[in-house]
Amino acid sequence: MEDAMAQRSSETEASAARQARFGTLPEPVRLEDMVEERAASTLDPARTAYNQDEWLVRYCL
């Protein structure tokens, strides 16, 4: 009889420990917190410095 009582109490303790650890779902994570945006490469100012209108003025007029 004592063995059954001891087993039940250990089961209820284990059940309570499981409930305390896994009883609630974790907080939802916002999408903004999961995504990190970084530039793939450094910006090169010479790459965007070309202006079509400037070329036309220099060579066509």
Side-chain angles (χ1 to χ4, degrees):
M1 188 80 168
E2 282 184 27
D3 292 335
M5 292 287 274
Q7 184 178 6
R8 281 189 182 168
S9 67
S10 67
E11 287 177 4
T12 55
E13 290 174 10
S15 176
R18 273 194 309 275
Q19 180 66 27
R21 184 171 180 188
F22 303 110
T24 60
L25 293 174
E27 295 282 328
V29 179
R30 299 182 319 166
L31 182 62
E32 296 85 20
D33 296 336
M34 292 191 290
V35 177
E36 178 181 350
E37 293 182 9
R38 285 190 277 167
S41 62
T42 57
L43 296 175
D44 183 16
R47 185 176 210 181
T48 58
Y50 178 75
N51 186 351
Q52 280 185 321
D53 295 335
E54 183 181 343
W55 181 86
L56 287 172
V57 169
R58 284 187 182 183
Y59 296 105
C60 295
L61 289 178

